[in-house]
Every structure is written in structure tokens, then in C-alpha cells.
């Protein structure tokens, strides 16, 4: 408010008065045309079939000459101020000076540079974010090799385990892939978000869906690609690439049926939208011409990192206050003084697809250059960089007990990949499935692993037929799902499911002769054998 160029004249800038004068003349001429009557002399002349040519009066001649002189003087002044071609002007005009030598020093021809990337829409249309097998713009190239990045060398973080997700009914129900995962620090439950705005809650082991809700995607603010999610207490937030935010939380109280109908397409009940029937638009300034591909929260702010595109080659760390959902700060991401980059390189071309808040730092995963960046959220400085091994197309991350879990996508399937973080006080063994939360479960898992049968490759496990008597061959009762008109749980189905699970007996297995692959095959076999929760 109150900004502008030059001094104001009678409460407005001179260029504002030019607009007022222009429209004033247009309105005045329109009013004059309304005053012409049918019997007036002017109307008879206009309606005459024979045009009448009048001689210019002395007054009309003077007006024409003066108008021509004014136009010529304006043209000369414009050339003098802006420069002869190819000069096209200057940003902020200087005061008028008859010394052309001084005036010419500020002339510029920068306007012609716009023709190199001519576009009728300009910066308002950019390429979509890169998401493997869902959105792969031709203009976006993901180079996974770490040596192509800006950092000379860095410590390597390798995966120690991977768990194939056997939650096929999630994607089947929404007919869209899982794009994000978040963990509730209070309860340990996981939430998987699909691209059709389906939110599926599971137990900490990601083996059983405990509830879900599917938002009405088309009827609301545009959320074409879901790119990130995060928990704040018991509230789950997820965001799209255009910074549109939605949220859901469990509630013991029934939801208003009208609100439920307007917001959800399907639900298992007892879920409330955080923002009612609306969605929040996270509006920024420095990053307004960029998409995002991740999000995180520390309970006070929502953090996002922009993606580089053909118009804007900057990484911007944005934080939005969760009290009013307004922009609280934006900073260009830069290396810390202790981080050495290659000569002539910067961090602007890193492509962050996973973001989480852990121990006061932001962990940003970039599939381009296979890097994990430790970012100080206060200064937007990258303090450490690590090289990642064993990932194909990472989409989302979260941290539990010093282990970073990466939602990775390959061969048409999702995996939870475990990567130990540096400086962890307790580093779980690579042979332990860290989704098991108790020591008793871990020991039982290792004991069962001793009698494991040959499982072959993950692909062979996926294509194998269920055997009689195995968990795969057992049918469980599905959770009853109804439309928002009457969303209720089926208690009998849950009880039947518990009875069915208690009656199941694991089949006998033979030890794998290859100890290096035994654990990965075991995990794939167990994940594939998990019963589907929906029919």
C-alpha cells in the first residue's frame, strides 16, 4: 500500500491520472453521442446519402497542427529517453537531461531476451512435477548419479532392508498409486495417501488397514498431484503440487451428515475434515512460480521446498504458520559455510521429492543425484549431504528410531526401504524388520526366519499362487464400507477377522541357502501373504 514511482499529484501518481484521463474522454464522448437527436443538424449530416466535405476552419486547423506537434514531441522524447533501436527503454526512468551521453548509459535492450523463450502465458505455466510412472515431463531430467551433483563426495547411506507393501486394495479402491506416507508419532500408525485423495490408516507394521476416507477430489480446490503428507498430533495434512492443503482427523463424535456428503466420497466413519468443506491455499511470493513435491511440519509451521523449472532455477524453503495458514517466511536454500561445492555449482538443481522434520532439522531427499540434504529450517542452509544407495523412485519419507523409511516405487510396486541415519544412538540390525515394535516380536521373527523356505526373487513371490493352509489362501471378512450417507463400521466383520487371524497357522518353510538375500525374500513373502482388508 502506498508504493509507486514518482511523486503523487492530487492523491495519485501521474501514470494513474493518465488512465483516469483516458477513460474520462471515452465516457465523455459516449455521453455526447447520447445527446445527438434525430432532428439535429449533426444527425442529418451523418444520415445523408451524399457525404459532405467541409473546409477546415482556422480553429480546426490550429487544433490539428497542435495535436501533430504534441505527437511528434512525444516521439522525440521517447527516443531520447529510451534510446534508438535496438534499445527498448529502461526500467525506472531517469530525470530528463539534455546531455545524451549521460542518458545513453542507462539504455537497455533486455526486452529482446524475452523472445528467446517466447510464451503467451509466461511464468504462469510450468512443467508438472516429476513422479515416476505418473508424471514424467520431457523437460525434466532426473539424473540419479551422485557424482553429477554439486557435492564432491559425501558419506554413503545404504538401505538395510526393504518391505514390499501388500496393501493392494488401497490402490484398487481409488484406482491410483500411493504417493505419500506419514507416521503418527503418538500412536505409531501410518497413513498412506493416494493420488485420488484417498487416506488409508494402517497399523505400525503396515499390514492392516484400520480405516480410510476418500475425499471428493473434483469438487474443491484443484489437487492434481498429491506430493506430501505429515502428522500434527492426530491431524493428518496432505498437500498437492500447487500448494493446496487438505487435512483429516479422527473423531469420537459423529460428523455432520451434510458436511460428510460434501467432503467425502467414501469413509469408514468417525473422520472429520480439518478445514470443513474447503481446502487451504498456501500462497507464497518468492516461490509463486514454482511447484512443490514434498512437505513437512514441526507442529508450528508447514515447510515446503520448491522445484526448479524452466523459468525459475531457485530452491526456496517456505514456511507457513499453522495458526492462520499464511506465509511466515521464504528463504533461498544455500550451502552452509562448512559445505564445499564444486566450482561453479550450486544446489538449485536438486529435486526434492521427500521431506520430513527430525531433531530440529529438515531431511530433504532428492532423487536427482541420489542425495539426502540436512537443512537448518532457521537459516535455510544445507549443513550436510549424504549419498543414498539402493533407491529407484523415492516419493516420501519419515523417520522412526533412527531409521529413515523411504516410500520407493519400482516395477509397479511400492516398497518401504529402511536406511539408517547417521549418528543414531541405537542402530537396528539389518536383519531386523523395524516395523516390529517390541523385542518379543523381533525375537519371534528371527526364530521363524531360521526355518524360512526358499522364496526366490520378489517377482517370483508376487506371481506365486497361494497354497492351501497358508495365510495367502485364507479369506478374511472385509471391513464394511458405506457411502457418506450412512458410514458405519461393521463390528461383526472385525470380530470375525480376529477369529480368522487367530486360527491361521504359518506354513513350514525351508532355510534359504543364500543368506545375503534371505531377509529380503522373507520380507517379500510375509508382505505378499498378508490378507487383503477389502473384498
Amino acid at each position: 500500500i502506498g508504493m509507486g514511482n514518482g511523486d503523487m499529484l492530487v492523491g495519485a501518481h501521474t501514470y494513474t491520472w493518465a488512465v483516469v484521463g483516458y477513460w474520462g474522454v471515452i465516457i465523455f464522448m459516449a455521453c455526447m453521442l447520447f445527446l445527438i437527436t434525430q432532428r439535429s443538424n449533426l444527425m442529418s449530416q451523418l444520415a445523408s446519402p451524399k457525404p459532405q466535405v467541409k473546409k477546415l476552419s482556422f480553429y480546426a486547423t490550429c487544433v490539428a497542427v497542435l495535436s501533430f506537434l504534441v505527437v511528434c514531441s512525444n516521439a522525440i522524447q521517447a527516443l531520447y529517453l529510451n534510446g534508438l533501436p535496438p534499445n527498448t527503454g529502461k526500467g525506472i526512468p531517469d530525470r530528463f537531461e539534455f546531455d545524451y551521453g549521460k542518458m545513453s548509459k542507462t539504455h537497455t535492450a533486455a526486452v529482446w531476451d524475452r523472445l528467446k523463450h517466447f510464451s503467451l502465458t509466461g511464468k504462469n505455466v510450468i512443467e508438472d512435477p516429476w513422479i515416476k510412472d505418473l508424471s514424467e515431463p520431457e523437460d525434466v531430467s532426473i539424473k540419479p548419479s551422485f557424482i553429477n551433483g554439486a557435492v564432491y563426495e559425501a558419506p554413503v547411506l545404504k538401505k538395510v532392508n526393504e518391505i514390499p507393501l501388500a496393501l493392494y486394495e488401497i490402490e484398487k479402491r481409488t484406482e491410483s498409486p500411493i504417493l505419500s506416507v506419514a507416521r503418527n508419532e503418538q500412536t505409531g500408525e501410518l497413513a498412506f495417501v493416494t493420488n485420488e485423495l484417498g487416506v488409508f490408516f494402517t497399523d505400525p507394521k503396515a499390514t492392516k488397514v484400520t480405516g480410510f476416507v476418500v475425499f471428493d477430489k473434483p469438487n474443491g480446490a484443484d489437487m492434481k498431484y498429491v506430493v506430501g503428507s505429515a502428522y500434527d498430533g492426530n491431524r493428518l495434512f496432505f498437500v498437492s503440487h500447487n500448494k493446496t492443503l487438505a487435512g483429516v482427523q479422527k473423531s469420537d463424535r459423529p460428523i455432520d451428515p451434510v458436511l460428510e456428503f460434501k467432503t467425502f466420497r467414501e469413509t469408514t466413519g468417525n473422520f472429520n475434515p480439518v478445514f470443513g468443506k474447503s481446502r487451504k491455499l498456501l500462497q507464497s511470493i518468492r516461490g509463486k512460480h514454482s511447484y512443490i513435491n514434498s512437505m513437512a511440519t514441526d507442529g508450528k509451521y508447514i515447510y515446503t521446498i520448491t522445484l526448479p523449472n524452466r523459468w525459475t532455477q531457485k530452491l526456496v524453503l517456505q514456511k507457513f504458520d499453522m495458526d492462520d495458514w499464511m506465509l511466515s517466511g521464504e528463504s533461498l536454500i544455500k550451502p552452509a559455510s562448512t559445505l564445499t561445492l564444486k566450482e561453479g555449482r550450486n544446489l538449485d538443481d536438486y529435486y526434492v521429492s521427500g521431506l520430513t522434520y527430525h531433531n530440529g532439522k529438515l531431511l530433504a531427499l532428492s532423487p536427482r543425484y541420489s542425495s539426502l540434504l540436512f537443512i537448518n529450517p532457521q537459516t535455510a542452509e544445507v549443513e550436510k549431504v549424504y549419498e543414498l544407495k539402493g533407491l529407484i523412485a523415492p516419493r516420501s519419507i519419515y523417520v522412526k528410531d533412527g531409521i529413515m523409511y523411504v516410500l520407493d516405487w519400482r516395477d509397479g510396486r511400492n516398497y518401504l526401504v529402511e536406511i539408517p541415519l547417521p549418528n543414531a544412538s541405537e542402530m537396528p540390525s539389518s536383519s531386523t524388520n523395524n516395523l516390529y515394535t517390541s523385542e518379543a516380536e523381533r525375537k519371534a521373527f528371527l526364530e521363524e526366519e531360521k526355518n524360512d523356505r526358499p522364496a526366490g526373487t520378489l517377482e517370483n513371490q508376487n506371481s506365486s499362487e497361494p497354497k492351501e493352509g497358508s495365510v495367502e489362501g485364507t479369506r478374511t471378512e472385509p471391513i464394511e464400507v458405506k457411502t457418506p450417507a450412512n458410514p458405519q463400521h461393521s463390528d461383526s466383520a472385525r470380530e470375525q477377522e480376529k477369529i480368522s487371524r487367530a486360527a491361521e497357522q504359518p506354513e513350514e518353510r525351508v532355510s534359504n541357502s543364500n543368506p545375503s538375500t534371505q531377509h529380503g525374500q522373507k520380507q517379500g513373502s510375509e508382505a505378499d501373504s498378508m490378507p487383503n482388508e477389502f473384498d
Side-chain angles (χ1 to χ4, degrees), residues 58-69:
F58 176 77
Y59 172 75
T61 303
C62 291
V63 171
V65 172
L66 288 175
S67 299
F68 181 75
L69 292 177

Side-chain angles (χ1 to χ4, degrees), residues 155-286:
V156 178
L157 301 180
K158 297 181 180 180
K159 70 176 181 180
V160 297
N161 188 27
E162 62 181 24
I163 304 116
L165 292 180
L167 304 173
Y168 306 109
E169 291 297 333
I170 292 181
E171 298 182 9
K172 180 180 178 181
R173 179 163 293 276
T174 61
E175 296 183 352
S176 65
I178 300 172
L179 295 186
S180 183
V181 61
R183 179 178 182 270
N184 190 326
E185 296 292 339
Q186 298 178 358
T187 64
E189 74 173 355
L190 301 179
F192 295 90
V193 186
T194 71
N195 200 43
E196 286 300 318
L197 306 192
V199 183
F200 294 79
F201 300 90
T202 73
D203 63 316
K205 303 175 187 179
T207 59
K208 176 184 176 182
V209 175
T210 59
F212 76 89
V213 60
V214 180
F215 281 72
D216 192 359
K217 183 175 181 178
N219 296 312
D222 181 28
M223 299 186 74
K224 184 178 181 180
Y225 299 116
V226 174
V227 297
S229 59
Y231 268 102
D232 173 42
N234 289 321
R235 299 186 301 174
L236 177 75
F237 296 97
F238 56 94
V239 70
S240 66
H241 69 300
N242 59 0
K243 308 183 191 76
T244 301
L245 187 70
V248 64
Q249 61 182 345
K250 295 182 179 180
S251 176
D252 296 332
R253 298 163 54 183
I255 184 177
D256 177 36
V258 177
L259 177 61
E260 186 178 49
F261 172 77
K262 290 183 176 181
T263 310
F264 303 144
R265 288 196 296 111
E266 281 187 290
T267 176
T268 52
N270 294 332
F271 289 104
N272 278 298
V274 175
F275 304 119
K277 62 181 180 180
S278 64
R279 301 167 187 171
K280 290 296 181 181
L281 305 179
L282 303 180
Q283 299 182 356
S284 59
I285 300 175
R286 184 172 288 169

Side-chain angles (χ1 to χ4, degrees), residues 271-385:
F271 289 104
N272 278 298
V274 175
F275 304 119
K277 62 181 180 180
S278 64
R279 301 167 187 171
K280 290 296 181 181
L281 305 179
L282 303 180
Q283 299 182 356
S284 59
I285 300 175
R286 184 172 288 169
K288 66 179 180 180
H289 293 300
S290 301
Y291 288 144
I292 62 173
N293 205 12
S294 58
M295 72 163 286
T297 180
D298 61 358
K300 181 175 177 58
Y301 298 105
I302 292 284
Y303 295 95
T304 64
I305 295 179
T306 62
L307 297 176
N309 56 68
R310 63 175 177 268
W311 294 106
T312 304
Q313 299 294 326
K314 298 292 184 182
L315 290 188
V316 180
L317 175 62
Q318 306 167 320
K319 63 178 182 179
F320 302 88
D321 197 314
M322 298 178 69
D323 289 334
D324 56 8
W325 309 105
M326 299 292 289
L327 180 67
S328 182
E330 288 183 297
S331 302
L332 294 177
I333 293 180
K334 53 188 178 296
S337 58
T338 56
L339 184 64
T340 303
L341 304 183
K342 297 177 182 178
E343 184 176 357
R345 295 293 300 273
N346 53 45
L347 302 173
D348 293 340
D349 58 344
Y350 281 74
Y351 207 87
V352 177
S353 67
L355 189 68
T356 188
Y357 185 85
H358 177 65
N359 288 344
K361 305 295 181 184
L362 289 173
L363 277 60
L365 189 152
S366 172
R368 182 180 288 169
Y369 311 137
S370 299
S371 301
L372 181 65
L373 313 180
F374 278 64
I375 304 175
N376 186 330
Q378 305 299 325
T379 62
E381 291 183 343
V382 177
E383 299 178 345
K384 298 179 182 178
V385 177

Side-chain angles (χ1 to χ4, degrees), residues 358-425:
H358 177 65
N359 288 344
K361 305 295 181 184
L362 289 173
L363 277 60
L365 189 152
S366 172
R368 182 180 288 169
Y369 311 137
S370 299
S371 301
L372 181 65
L373 313 180
F374 278 64
I375 304 175
N376 186 330
Q378 305 299 325
T379 62
E381 291 183 343
V382 177
E383 299 178 345
K384 298 179 182 178
V385 177
Y386 293 88
E387 180 181 359
L388 296 175
K389 293 285 189 179
L391 300 178
I392 303 298
R395 291 178 170 177
S396 182
I397 60 176
Y398 70 89
V399 176
K400 172 194 171 185
D401 299 333
I403 301 291
M404 180 175 68
Y405 290 83
V406 182
L407 181 65
D408 198 20
W409 173 266
R410 68 174 181 272
D411 300 329
R413 189 173 187 183
N414 280 299
Y415 294 80
L416 274 180
V417 178
E418 301 177 7
I419 301 179
L421 291 176
N423 301 325
S425 58

Side-chain angles (χ1 to χ4, degrees), residues 40-62:
S40 64
N41 186 30
L42 180 59
M43 179 60 74
S44 62
Q45 294 178 10
L46 294 175
S48 176
K50 295 182 180 180
Q52 300 179 9
V53 180
K54 292 185 176 181
K55 294 183 179 180
L56 289 176
S57 63
F58 176 77
Y59 172 75
T61 303
C62 291

Side-chain angles (χ1 to χ4, degrees), residues 46-179:
L46 294 175
S48 176
K50 295 182 180 180
Q52 300 179 9
V53 180
K54 292 185 176 181
K55 294 183 179 180
L56 289 176
S57 63
F58 176 77
Y59 172 75
T61 303
C62 291
V63 171
V65 172
L66 288 175
S67 299
F68 181 75
L69 292 177
V70 170
V71 171
C72 291
S73 63
N74 285 338
I76 295 173
Q77 182 186 22
L79 289 173
Y80 190 83
L81 289 174
N82 299 321
L84 298 173
N87 295 311
T88 56
K90 55 185 67 178
I92 299 178
D94 307 318
R95 65 180 184 275
F96 189 84
E97 173 63 50
F98 285 103
D99 187 350
Y100 189 76
K102 294 181 179 180
M103 299 291 290
S104 62
K105 292 181 179 179
T106 56
H107 293 160
T108 179
V111 173
W112 301 112
D113 294 337
R114 300 177 184 175
L115 298 179
K116 296 180 180 178
H117 303 283
F118 179 74
S119 174
L120 295 177
T121 56
K123 297 181 179 180
N124 294 316
V125 176
I126 58 178
E127 59 269 22
D128 286 339
W130 184 88
I131 304 173
K132 180 67 174 177
D133 293 340
L134 182 63
S135 170
E136 300 183 26
E138 296 181 357
D139 298 338
V140 179
S141 175
I142 301 297
K143 300 178 181 179
S145 178
F146 182 84
I147 61 175
N148 293 326
V151 181
Y152 281 107
E153 58 183 7
V156 178
L157 301 180
K158 297 181 180 180
K159 70 176 181 180
V160 297
N161 188 27
E162 62 181 24
I163 304 116
L165 292 180
L167 304 173
Y168 306 109
E169 291 297 333
I170 292 181
E171 298 182 9
K172 180 180 178 181
R173 179 163 293 276
T174 61
E175 296 183 352
S176 65
I178 300 172
L179 295 186

